[in-house]
Amino acid sequence: MKPLAVFVLIYLVACAAPQRHEDSLYQALGQKEGIQKIVGRFIFEIGDSPQIRPYFEESNLDRFYEKLTEQLCELSGGPCRYTGDSMIDSHTKMNVTEADFNLTVDLLIAAMDHQNIPHSIQNQLLNKLAPLREDIIYR
């Protein structure tokens, strides 16, 4: 095989290789635009929940939207960098219960369902968010 043919073959194989897992999650969520839609719907779900809405009554929803979009974008392997407060700083004195945390996760799932995100992709994102749990509840 000629060197040019070998180079072309290697290039084609490399291009056909699956994307990094991180990139594929970001892509599967619809990139930044898709994440923005999920976050927008999540805020709607929060506002519609009498149990969770009180946690956000003093929040700047524009900032929440911006920072959660950054966070989900970064966690999913996108090009964004989260520039918000730490989860501990954000949730200290909120005393989020485990039940309310779980309900909030359910609201995020509902937002992703609304955007037709497949459950396998939802689970990948939730797996990325799970380590933050200990920094949120009972603070």
Side-chain angles (χ1 to χ4, degrees):
M1 200 178 245
K2 295 183 180 181
L4 180 59
V6 172
F7 175 78
V8 170
L9 182 61
I10 292 170
Y11 177 77
L12 291 174
V13 169
C15 289
Q19 295 177 331
R20 288 185 7 234
H21 177 72
E22 296 290 327
D23 289 342
S24 65
L25 177 56
Y26 177 69
Q27 297 295 326
L29 292 171
Q31 301 180 6
K32 189 169 183 180
E33 182 180 338
I35 291 169
Q36 288 171 325
K37 289 178 182 177
I38 292 167
V39 172
R41 182 63 191 197
F42 180 51
I43 291 170
F44 174 84
E45 296 287 342
I46 289 168
D48 207 32
S49 172
Q51 188 172 340
I52 302 304
R53 185 178 51 243
Y55 286 109
F56 292 86
E57 287 178 346
E58 301 293 319
S59 297
N60 175 334
L61 291 182
D62 290 335
R63 178 176 165 74
F64 177 74
Y65 173 85
E66 176 187 337
K67 297 306 169 190
L68 185 56
T69 297
E70 283 179 2
Q71 188 174 40
L72 297 183
C73 177
E74 180 178 38
L75 285 173
S76 67
C80 308
R81 292 295 160 244
Y82 177 65
T83 60
D85 299 328
S86 73
M87 292 300 98
I88 292 173
D89 289 344
S90 296
H91 295 88
T92 295
K93 297 186 181 180
M94 288 180 75
N95 199 30
V96 176
T97 66
E98 189 165 357
D100 287 347
F101 176 86
N102 292 339
L103 178 55
T104 304
V105 171
D106 289 342
L107 298 177
L108 178 58
I109 290 169
M112 290 190 285
D113 283 343
H114 188 266
Q115 297 302 321
N116 298 312
I117 303 297
H119 289 141
S120 61
I121 301 302
Q122 291 183 29
N123 288 338
Q124 289 178 41
L125 181 61
L126 294 173
N127 187 49
K128 299 278 187 188
L129 291 167
L132 302 176
R133 178 185 177 277
E134 67 186 49
D135 293 341
I136 295 171
I137 65 170
Y138 300 116
R139 292 272 165 205

